[in-house]
Amino acid sequence: NTNFLIAALKLTERGKRIFPCVPNHKNPATQRGFHDATLDAATLRQWAANWPNANIGMPTGEANGLIVLDVDCGDGKDGEAQLDKLLAEHGPLPETAEVRTPRGGRHIYFQHPGVKVPSRTNHPLPSLDVRGDGGYVLVPKSKVGDGEYSYLASHSPAECPPWLLKLFLERPSPMARAPVN
């Protein structure tokens, strides 16, 4: 399967560091996970030989100049309803890169703002996660369960709206720190 290699090379040609994840899962295939992310074609070829059906992980944060709003859906989560609450209060998001996730959610990409944006779950609201510094996302061609990550909008990542960045940087409420079962 050369899907991993072809997609990985396309991303690295655009300056995005990537790493392999276990086929059909979100967990990293390498020992150091997203810390192993690289632009090196020889390393990518070795990973493709080791894990021909690997999913593709891409670090978020300063490493790749990206932060991602992860809108979770399925399994009782309705991130779209939570996002609608924010949009009703603050206005629409700019046109930006978006990826459909296997359970019907979305990853909404923004440019990294140049300040540390911590990765958090259920922040800024339940079923909304921020993937920033210290995090990663799976990218299109990756598969989990019966679904596949796919591009919804192939715009360049937009600047993060100031109101959303402010929410990302706020300290989470105690509820947001509670473990999720």
Side-chain angles (χ1 to χ4, degrees), residues 14-48:
R14 296 197 324 240
K16 300 302 180 204
R17 299 171 187 282
I18 63 96
F19 64 99
C21 287
V22 175
N24 208 35
H25 292 282
K26 295 180 182 180
N27 38 330
T30 63
Q31 194 165 359
R32 295 178 58 239
F34 68 87
H35 296 290
D36 285 328
T38 187
L39 296 169
D40 182 64
T43 302
L44 297 175
R45 284 186 181 84
Q46 184 59 55
W47 286 340

Side-chain angles (χ1 to χ4, degrees), residues 61-62 66-67 111-118 132-133 165-166 168-169:
E62 196 173 10
L66 297 169
I67 53 176
Q111 297 167 13
H112 191 271
V115 297
K116 185 175 169 68
V117 178
D133 293 280
L165 181 59
K166 183 177 182 228
F168 287 165
L169 295 174

Side-chain angles (χ1 to χ4, degrees), residues 91-111:
L93 296 174
E95 282 193 347
T96 191
E98 289 190 42
V99 168
R100 172 73 60 210
T101 63
R103 289 191 299 199
R106 290 189 286 162
H107 287 167
I108 304 171
Y109 287 69
F110 298 103
Q111 297 167 13

Side-chain angles (χ1 to χ4, degrees), residues 26 58-61 66-70 72 107-108 110 112 117-123 128-137 168:
K26 295 180 182 180
M58 184 172 66
T60 52
L66 297 169
I67 53 176
V68 175
L69 176 61
D70 182 359
D72 283 333
H107 287 167
I108 304 171
F110 298 103
H112 191 271
V117 178
S119 292
R120 297 187 181 130
T121 56
N122 293 312
H123 183 81
L128 296 178
D129 304 334
V130 58
R131 303 288 178 224
D133 293 280
Y136 67 93
V137 292
F168 287 165

